[in-house]
Amino acid sequence: MKGHPALTPPATTFRHHKPKPFAPMDFDPFEGGADPARISEAAHLSAQALVQAGKLNNDPEVRERLVRLAEDEGLEVIAELWSKAPARSLPGSLWRLYAIRAATVGNPEAMASFFAAGAHLAQVERVVAGAAEPPGAEELCAMTSSILSGAFDGEFDVALERTAAYCRVIALGQAEQADAAELSHPARATLMTSRAHALVKTAEDLESAAASWRRGELD
């Protein structure tokens, strides 16, 4: 990241400083608007720096800060930088890892309800996701934090695949609850169905990104 020695070796520098937001405005080439190409470059470079910093640093405190980046800096800061990147890119997939964790931490009871409803329909995905038993609200929060931590531990593809599996289980649960609510709450059923479809698409993007990562092609 520009002006951000904390996200590059040596690791001890990171330990003493709160991560600074990396905003697109840092790349305004002239007054009146940001250059989309340079914003894209910033998104890719910052994502690479973050993943590399975690991979090279074994300090648990650093890993915890990376996992809690959304809470510490605000999810909107991360969204501003990474959410517009292609889904099957490093910044795009990293954004999805943070967003899925944020959704779980922000509404753990609902996510646990969806997970429970979908788990019996997706036994393989349930195992791949790695939720503890029983997969309640607290367990899912711990699981998504563990997945994100693993993304900075040299197993980025595994983190992507675990999150994809989690998305598929949640999507099945949402679809099942949508079917049950269709007669009594049609608007809610429509919303859940739409979100389920979006999660399946997210899962597909994450799976594709994982395959690209293993080939050394995810950037």
Side-chain angles (χ1 to χ4, degrees):
M1 292 186 184
K2 181 181 178 181
H4 198 331
L7 291 186
T8 55
T12 51
T13 305
F14 190 104
R15 187 175 297 114
H16 300 294
H17 297 280
K18 179 180 179 181
K20 176 186 175 184
F22 192 92
M25 67 183 65
D26 293 339
F27 289 84
D28 284 357
F30 52 84
E31 184 176 355
D35 182 343
R38 300 194 69 184
I39 292 176
S40 176
E41 180 185 13
H44 285 76
L45 290 176
S46 61
Q48 291 168 3
L50 207 64
V51 172
Q52 189 70 4
K55 184 177 180 180
L56 296 177
N57 198 310
N58 293 322
D59 189 333
E61 182 182 345
V62 173
R63 294 276 171 78
E64 178 63 21
R65 288 189 180 186
L66 290 172
V67 170
R68 292 186 55 82
L69 188 62
E71 289 91 344
D72 293 342
E73 303 295 350
L75 188 64
E76 68 280 357
V77 173
I78 297 176
E80 183 180 19
L81 182 58
W82 292 336
S83 66
K84 292 181 176 60
R88 302 183 182 191
S89 68
L90 181 59
S93 56
L94 192 57
W95 155 245
R96 281 156 180 77
L97 294 186
Y98 275 106
I100 293 298
R101 177 180 180 271
T104 302
V105 172
N107 201 355
E109 289 79 12
M111 297 298 271
S113 175
F114 293 140
F115 194 92
H120 70 282
L121 300 171
Q123 293 293 337
V124 173
E125 287 81 2
R126 177 180 183 170
V127 172
V128 172
E133 297 295 338
E138 184 176 341
E139 287 76 17
L140 291 186
C141 288
M143 183 196 74
T144 53
S145 294
S146 173
I147 290 174
L148 191 51
S149 179
F152 303 116
D153 194 25
E155 296 185 342
F156 194 69
D157 56 330
V158 175
L160 296 177
E161 290 180 332
R162 289 183 65 190
T163 303
Y166 178 57
C167 287
R168 289 189 180 279
V169 176
I170 295 294
L172 285 170
Q174 287 181 328
E176 185 162 281
Q177 291 193 12
D179 289 342
E182 189 168 3
L183 293 179
S184 56
H185 299 90
R188 182 170 181 268
T190 299
L191 178 60
M192 284 194 294
T193 299
S194 175
R195 288 177 174 173
H197 287 316
L199 275 177
V200 170
K201 178 61 167 61
T202 295
E204 292 171 349
D205 290 333
L206 292 172
E207 289 159 355
S208 176
S212 295
W213 176 267
R214 286 192 291 270
R215 295 193 301 268
E217 299 174 357
L218 189 67
D219 57 19

